[in-house]
Amino acid sequence: MRNLASRVAVLAALAFCAQVFAADAHFVMISHAPDADPFWNVVKNGMRDASDDFGVSVDYRNPPNGDLADMKHLLEQAAARQYDGVVTSIPDVDVVQAPIKAIVARGIPVITFNSGTSEQSAAVGALLHVGQSEYEAGKGAGELAKAAGVKSFLCVNNNVTNPISFDRCRGFGDAIGADFKTSTLDSGNDPIEVENRVFAALHRKPDTQAVLALGPTSADPSLRAVEKLGLNGHIYFATFDMTPAVDKAISDGRAAFAIDQQPYLQGYIPVALLALMKRDNTHDVERALKELVADPAFQNRLKKYGLVPHFGPHGVATGPSFVTRTNLGVVEKYTGQYR
């Protein structure tokens, strides 16, 4: 009996130490996103929930205007601060690879997320990539449009400083047989400017059959431009990511679908994995993935918000999934917070 009590006491002490060890962990999440992009509010909600679930602290850093030179400086600062782990996007591998490699060289675990590819992630020394293949997402969207008879489109790109963003336009163009270069519009990020540029582009080419917006910053103003031109119901509209305005457009039939990359998971999973590796005192990300899949808090989050990650040999795919009128009700109430 005394031996059993001693063992229980030891296990309790170890559990307490593990919690303290995880709580001492201090991570940073660095993105390329400008402050104006509402998509990242959902990512940050995932980051904060993982921080709460696993008892760690996480700083969020981004260049306010989306300047990649500023992002590079943020990565350099992260290396100097000796965080316990770093989560970063790869908007342009040529710009960010040197500071990411410097972080890895210091023995700090890095997980990449959102922008970038699994191949780029491995090349810079990161342990894993969490996100979606932008080309495949664009191609999947294009295949849906092709089935509806679409042969021409306008790709509204509000993030041209991110080279990976063009893969969305390229995939869509390849699927419908259109040249994505001549179909892509640099819309900027100011809502009025986006609306005016889309209005002008569609006015110049009235035979354009579809509009593909690359995110909330471009989707809502593009919808207004389409409405002002009297093209509701006459032009095929699709967008990446969810907003209340996009939800309503899908519900009303003004938009065919939205491509959901489950940004909440992009914020949650990297932080959770770093926390588990820190707790276990290892950089074994495969072991951490197995522990995460079995974690009750994580499973509760997935069930509550209707989220479905795909764990593969080269990373965690959070998308694409397509939200249409048929499944809109499942995600609508969480749009802007968890979807």
Side-chain angles (χ1 to χ4, degrees), residues 108-268:
I108 301 171
V110 174
I111 292 177
T112 59
F113 79 129
N114 185 259
S115 187
T117 66
S118 296
E119 293 77 14
Q120 290 173 340
S121 180
V124 299
L127 299 173
L128 189 78
H129 185 70
V130 180
Q132 73 175 1
S133 167
E134 305 297 3
Y135 176 80
E136 293 302 328
K139 188 176 181 182
E143 287 169 349
L144 291 175
K146 182 180 179 180
V150 170
K151 296 180 180 179
S152 63
F153 77 120
L154 176 70
C155 189
V156 187
N157 190 343
N158 60 287
N159 197 15
V160 296
T161 58
N162 181 352
I164 296 294
S165 67
F166 289 94
D167 284 351
R168 296 177 171 183
C169 306
R170 181 167 63 90
F172 194 98
D174 286 351
I176 67 171
D179 181 1
F180 85 94
K181 292 181 180 178
T182 59
S183 303
T184 299
L185 173 71
D186 175 2
S187 68
N189 280 289
D190 178 81
I192 296 176
E193 186 177 5
V194 174
E195 182 180 334
N196 289 339
R197 289 188 180 187
V198 172
F199 184 98
L202 293 176
H203 185 71
R204 284 195 304 271
K205 294 184 177 180
D207 57 340
T208 302
Q209 295 178 303
V211 171
L212 176 69
L214 297 196
T217 305
S218 55
D220 295 357
S222 294
L223 283 166
R224 291 194 295 271
V226 168
E227 184 174 8
K228 285 184 177 180
L229 286 164
L231 294 175
N232 282 339
H234 299 286
I235 197 163
Y236 192 92
F237 192 97
T239 182
F240 281 77
D241 309 320
M242 309 293 296
T243 69
V246 168
D247 288 353
K248 190 173 188 308
I250 294 172
S251 178
D252 295 345
R254 291 178 289 121
F257 59 85
I259 303 148
D260 180 22
Q261 59 178 302
Q262 302 181 115
Y264 178 88
L265 293 178
Q266 295 179 9
Y268 190 102

Side-chain angles (χ1 to χ4, degrees), residues 250-302:
I250 294 172
S251 178
D252 295 345
R254 291 178 289 121
F257 59 85
I259 303 148
D260 180 22
Q261 59 178 302
Q262 302 181 115
Y264 178 88
L265 293 178
Q266 295 179 9
Y268 190 102
I269 291 175
V271 172
L273 293 175
L274 288 175
L276 289 166
M277 287 188 290
K278 178 65 174 177
R279 186 196 66 187
D280 297 340
N281 195 26
T282 176
H283 287 183
D284 188 343
V285 73
E286 291 186 9
R287 172 179 170 179
L289 278 168
K290 291 177 182 177
E291 292 178 351
L292 179 61
V293 170
D295 186 84
F298 179 56
Q299 289 300 325
N300 286 338
R301 300 283 186 188
L302 296 182

